[in-house]
Structure formats: structure tokens, C-alpha cells
Amino acid sequence: KIALSVSNDLINWNLLNSNIFKSLKLPNWCIKGQCYPNIIETIEMDLLLFFAGNRYGRDGFGVFKISDFKELI
């Protein structure tokens, strides 16, 4: 599962959410696991979370648009 943590100094971390997808109904290709998260910011200032699904991405690869940071906490 993909979690969300924040840090002011990159040494000490605060866990904000242990499973960012807990309130979503996930499709079958990623219901058993998500891994290798990577967030990028687009020119339009949107945040996109790319991640691999079940079996380390063998079953699929996803993109999640993060329109509001608070929706993950």
C-alpha cells in the first residue's frame, strides 16, 4: 500500500496516511497491491501519482490525479 509522509528536514518523518487509497474502490489490477509510487507536477500545476499494480505492475500501471493534497490525509 502507498502511504503519505511529510518531513521538514528529510530525516524525521510524520506519517499522515498509511493507505492513500483506503476510501477508493480500486480496480482488480491494483486491489491487492500498489508499489513504486512517483509523483510529478505538470505544467498546469497538477500533481500526478504514477504507480504499479498487483504483482509489482505485472497486472497494470496506474495514474492518480491529486487535485487537492487534503484528499489524501
Side-chain angles (χ1 to χ4, degrees):
K1 304 298 177 201
I2 299 173
L4 176 66
S5 297
V6 295
S7 173
N8 291 325
D9 58 12
L10 299 178
I11 295 171
N12 300 301
W13 291 86
N14 254 345
L15 180 64
L16 298 179
N17 185 326
S18 62
N19 180 3
I20 64 169
F21 297 120
K22 70 181 171 191
S23 62
L24 300 176
K25 183 176 179 184
L26 295 173
N28 287 339
W29 64 266
C30 69
I31 200 161
K32 294 180 183 176
Q34 307 91 41
C35 59
Y36 307 125
N38 189 16
I39 293 179
I40 64 166
E41 185 175 6
T42 66
I43 294 171
E44 295 84 14
M45 304 295 284
D46 292 322
L47 293 177
L48 300 176
L49 168 67
F50 293 88
F51 64 98
N54 302 338
R55 301 187 315 160
Y56 300 100
R58 181 178 262 174
D59 291 351
F61 185 83
V63 178
F64 179 69
K65 183 177 179 182
I66 304 169
S67 44
D68 183 6
F69 182 78
K70 292 180 182 178
E71 72 188 54
L72 298 179
I73 300 175

